[in-house]
Amino acid sequence: MDTATRIRLGFIAILWIVLCYIVVSSQPFSPRIAFVILASSIVVWVPLYKKYLKNGKRNDEPSGKN
């Protein structure tokens, strides 16, 4: 993973944490809030995990074209 990707993931992590803090601090904690945080974490982190961590280094060359 290159430096630019790490910086991008860092900014996304910071933004997600700040938004979760805003949601939690704006109202009393309840199961609904826990669900919102869990659902948002799945929506944000699963695609990023699949793209950057699970697949390792991506091959930027188009497949089948030489």
Side-chain angles (χ1 to χ4, degrees):
M1 190 176 343
D2 61 343
T3 305
T5 303
R6 289 181 185 197
I7 291 172
R8 266 185 264 145
L9 290 175
F11 279 128
I12 291 171
I14 291 169
L15 178 64
W16 183 77
I17 290 169
V18 168
L19 291 174
C20 286
Y21 174 75
I22 291 171
V23 168
V24 169
S25 66
S26 66
Q27 50 197 333
F29 192 78
S30 67
R32 179 181 172 269
I33 299 302
F35 174 74
V36 167
I37 292 173
L38 179 66
S40 71
S41 67
I42 292 171
V43 168
V44 170
W45 297 112
V46 168
L48 292 174
Y49 171 78
K50 285 183 178 180
K51 183 174 183 179
Y52 292 114
L53 300 176
K54 185 177 179 185
N55 293 334
K57 293 190 176 192
R58 296 178 304 173
N59 188 2
D60 292 333
E61 299 174 9
S63 60
K65 293 183 181 178
N66 288 329

